[in-house]
Amino acid sequence: MRIVLSAVVLVLMSHAAVSACTSMKRLPVFNYKKHASGDADFYGLDPKKGRYIVIQHTGGISKIEISAKRGAKAQYTRAGTGDPLPVTVMVSENLCAQGSTRLFTKKFHARLKEQYSTQFFLPFSASQNKTPAINLAQSVLRATYCPKGEIALNHKFQYVDKSGSNPVVKTAPAARAWGSDPFDEKWIIQLTCSEWRSIQ
C-alpha cells in the first residue's frame, strides 16, 4: 500500500514540476476550426495556417512542430486522387529537463488535453526512442491536422542538400534524431496523410 501511495505522490509531484516549468496551461486547447486554415498548408510559424502543439507525456513536456510540404495548398486537395500529402513532424525532448522556464505564446501555440503514456530514454537521440517518437508523432498528427486520413511513414521524402558546391537531391530517413545532447534535441519524422492527395 505504501509503495502504491509513494508512486502516486511521485507522479503528482512530477506533473506539478512539469506545469511549473512551462506556461502550457494558459494556452488554448487545439481546435481545428480556429487553429487551421482547412487546407493542406498547416505550418506553426504562420498563425493563420496552424499552431505548434504542446503536449504532456509520461516523460514531461514536448513541443510538436507539424508542417505540410511546401506549396502543398496548390498541389494537394481532399478531392485529389494521387499520392498522399507529405508531412514533417518534429518531436522535441522534454523541455523541462534543462531546468529552464519555457514560455509558449498563445499566438503560435496550442495544447492538447490528452496526456500521452510515452516514455523516452536518455539521451533523447538514443535509438530506443525512435519507435516512441514515431508513435507520438502519428498520434499528435491524428489529433490535429489529419483526423480523417490514414497516416503512414514516408520513406520517399526528398530534399535538396545545399551543403556542397552543387545542390544534390537526397532521400531523408523516415525517422532521425537531430541536435546534440543535452540541448534542443529532436526527432524528425516523415509521414504522409491521406486526407489530402495530389491533384493529377
Side-chain angles (χ1 to χ4, degrees):
M1 185 65 176
R2 289 181 179 179
I3 295 176
V4 173
L5 288 174
S6 298
V8 171
V9 170
L10 285 173
V11 170
L12 291 175
M13 288 177 63
S14 64
H15 287 182
V18 161
S19 298
C21 151
T22 72
S23 59
M24 71 171 294
K25 282 191 173 182
R26 63 188 289 273
L27 297 177
V29 175
F30 180 83
N31 182 304
Y32 187 86
K33 292 183 178 180
K34 293 181 179 180
H35 301 140
S37 67
D39 297 314
D41 62 350
F42 38 88
Y43 185 50
L45 278 177
D46 188 338
K48 295 180 180 179
K49 298 179 180 179
R51 291 289 191 281
Y52 292 133
I53 307 300
V54 182
I55 63 160
Q56 186 169 341
H57 52 75
T58 305
I61 293 284
S62 287
K63 182 169 78 171
I64 313 296
E65 301 176 39
I66 304 173
S67 58
K69 177 182 177 181
R70 182 176 295 181
K73 182 177 180 179
Q75 303 173 40
Y76 294 81
T77 68
R78 287 190 171 91
T81 57
D83 294 331
L85 172 70
V87 180
T88 299
V89 180
M90 291 191 284
V91 179
S92 80
E93 63 182 333
N94 173 21
L95 297 179
C96 296
Q98 299 165 17
S100 60
T101 301
R102 299 281 178 153
L103 299 178
F104 300 116
T105 59
K106 293 180 180 180
K107 183 177 181 180
F108 295 107
H109 300 81
R111 63 184 172 90
L112 295 182
K113 288 182 177 181
E114 295 83 356
Q115 180 177 328
Y116 295 87
S117 58
T118 305
Q119 182 68 59
F120 291 114
F121 299 92
L122 294 176
F124 189 66
S125 58
S127 59
Q128 300 99 309
N129 290 331
K130 179 178 179 179
T131 298
I134 291 172
N135 292 339
L136 185 60
Q138 291 176 324
S139 296
V140 175
L141 180 58
R142 185 173 293 108
T144 53
Y145 299 106
C146 188
K148 300 178 181 178
E150 180 181 344
I151 297 171
L153 279 175
N154 185 4
H155 296 279
K156 300 179 181 179
F157 181 82
Q158 293 185 320
Y159 67 100
V160 178
D161 183 357
K162 298 181 180 179
S163 59
S165 55
N166 296 313
V168 178
V169 177
K170 294 184 178 180
T171 301
R176 66 183 179 92
W178 179 88
S180 58
D181 182 57
F183 299 108
D184 298 326
E185 291 185 297
K186 298 177 182 179
W187 275 91
I188 302 176
I189 316 297
Q190 304 297 342
L191 301 172
T192 58
C193 169
S194 67
E195 190 162 337
W196 291 272
R197 289 185 175 274
S198 60
I199 303 170
Q200 291 186 320

